[in-house]
Amino acid sequence: MPFAAARDGLFPRIFARTGRGGTPVAGLVISSVLVTALMAMNYNASLVDQFTFVILLATLTTVIPYAYAAAAELVLLATDHAAFSGRRLARDAVIALLAFGYSVWAVSGAGQEVVFKGTLLVFAGFPVYAWLKYRDARTPLEAVGSEPEPPAKAA
C-alpha cells in the first residue's frame, strides 16, 4: 500500500523506489523498522500480546478509510439524486449504512488502548501529509513523476 500511495503522490517518494524485479525495497525496510519500533514500545507485553496489538492496529487503520468511504457514499446518495433513485437508492443506502455500522463496531472492538494509539499514529501522519502537499505545490508537475511530453514535430 505505501508503494501505491507513493506512486500516486500521496506518500513520500522513497516508498515508490524499487529494486531489481520491481520490489519496493525501501518501503519494505522502512515499514519493517516502523513495526519493530511499534513492538518495542510494547516491550513489556508477551509476543502474543504484541502480535494481537499489531493486528488490531492494522485492522483499525484499515477500517477508518472504510468508514469514510461508507460515509462518502451516504453523502453521495443524498446529494446526487439523478444518479440514484428508487430501488437502487434504497439498496445502496442500506449497504452504506451497514458498512458504516460495521466500521464503528470494528473500531470499538479494537479496544481503548489500540484506538488511542492508532489515533496518535494517524495524527503523526498529518505533518507528513501537509509536507507532501506543500512540496507538491512548489514542484512543477514534470518533477513529480509524470514525463514531459515530447515537442510536437512541425508538419
Side-chain angles (χ1 to χ4, degrees), residues 17-101:
R17 292 184 188 158
T18 58
R20 288 184 292 215
T23 305
V25 177
L28 291 171
V29 169
I30 293 169
S31 297
S32 297
V33 168
L34 291 174
V35 168
T36 302
L38 183 66
M39 291 184 74
M41 288 174 22
N42 223 3
Y43 68 91
N44 55 349
S46 71
L47 188 58
V48 172
D49 290 339
Q50 288 182 3
F51 182 76
T52 303
F53 176 78
V54 169
I55 293 298
L56 288 173
L57 191 61
T59 302
L60 176 75
T61 59
T62 302
V63 169
I64 289 172
Y66 190 68
Y68 275 110
E73 176 74 10
L74 291 170
V75 170
L76 185 62
L77 292 171
T79 58
D80 191 2
H81 300 290
F84 304 97
S85 61
R87 294 178 77 192
R88 183 173 180 202
L89 173 65
R91 182 197 70 198
D92 291 351
V94 167
I95 291 171
L97 283 169
L98 287 172
F100 188 77

Side-chain angles (χ1 to χ4, degrees), residues 1 38 52-68 102-123:
M1 287 180 59
L38 183 66
T52 303
F53 176 78
V54 169
I55 293 298
L56 288 173
L57 191 61
T59 302
L60 176 75
T61 59
T62 302
V63 169
I64 289 172
Y66 190 68
Y68 275 110
Y102 169 77
S103 300
V104 171
W105 175 76
V107 167
S108 67
Q112 185 177 2
E113 180 185 8
V114 172
V115 172
F116 175 72
K117 289 183 178 178
T119 302
L120 291 178
L121 288 172
V122 168
F123 287 165

